[in-house]
Amino acid sequence: MEKITKEGKRAITELHNHLAKWKGDPGEGNDIGLEHAEALALAAEDHATDIGKTGAASHNGTDRSNFAQRQRRYIKPARISTELIWYGQLDFEKYETLVALVEQGKRIVDDLLIDDGVKDRGHRKALLDCRYQKIGLHIADHLVFGQCLVMECCDDIVETHDLNERKEKGPVKQDLEEQEKIRKQAETTWKVISICARCKKPIKGGRVVEAKFLRFHENCFVCFKCNCKLRGKKFHLHDDRRNVVCEPCSAKKAKKSHRTNTKTKGGKVQKKKKVVTAGTSFQAAKTTIAALGMEYANLG
């Protein structure tokens, strides 16, 4: 599995070393028995829905609430609790099979364990802390990064509210004017990186693909002709030099562009084909990540 990191191999090597030590430490244990808690999932939904609409990347809600306060909407105060947030783009087309769903889940866990660019490795420490026994999570669309996943964790829970009533009402309503202020602040913070060559919409964060001199949202990096995904495949520039096509579609174009010259020699007609190649030679697509305002990190 390929991984894109801002720190290079250091973050992954550090994780390997940490896991080797963690598995061999009987005091810390190696069995994470996380149990789903619906009350925590509702707290996660409150925050994921909120920051998804504003485009913020924060543990503070529009109403200035922190994760502990959101958890206490539904449970008694826990002895230890925490909140983890993952930002990125998920390919929901792959959710058709359970195997694909599990793979996407593994990708999120990998990202949180590697904890690239986070100095204190807080996400990694929380995931490997066996004191956390209860977990609730929620995925929501995010204005800037595509999607966000909020995970609420604590040691134990005692529910204090009627969860059915909360599920009927939906996530906690936020002040629309305050949300609009935060959204405008987010637009200023996450400035436009570029314009996607395919959808023509601004690229503000998440995964970005650089192909030759063009940039695409990861999900927009598809063949201009047949719409197949191009990541990891050979591609060529389209004739307009503003889109890309896959190798099969490029070959079809080249075949149609054959020019046949004929001349007579010894009473026979000979055909001489001149092949017009499609674009320049193949260059591997370089996938970059521009998340949380960090610099690009090329996938070599």
Side-chain angles (χ1 to χ4, degrees), residues 168-180:
E168 290 178 2
K169 291 182 177 180
V172 171
K173 300 295 187 295
Q174 300 291 343
D175 186 278
L176 296 180
E177 291 185 3
E178 284 297 316
Q179 281 191 324
E180 180 63 17

Side-chain angles (χ1 to χ4, degrees), residues 147-166:
Q147 283 80 40
C148 63
L149 182 145
V150 177
M151 303 170 63
E152 304 287 345
C153 306
C154 67
D155 57 341
D156 199 4
I157 64 169
V158 177
E159 295 178 2
T160 58
H161 289 74
D162 183 356
L163 301 185
N164 289 325
E165 181 182 354
R166 156 61 179 80

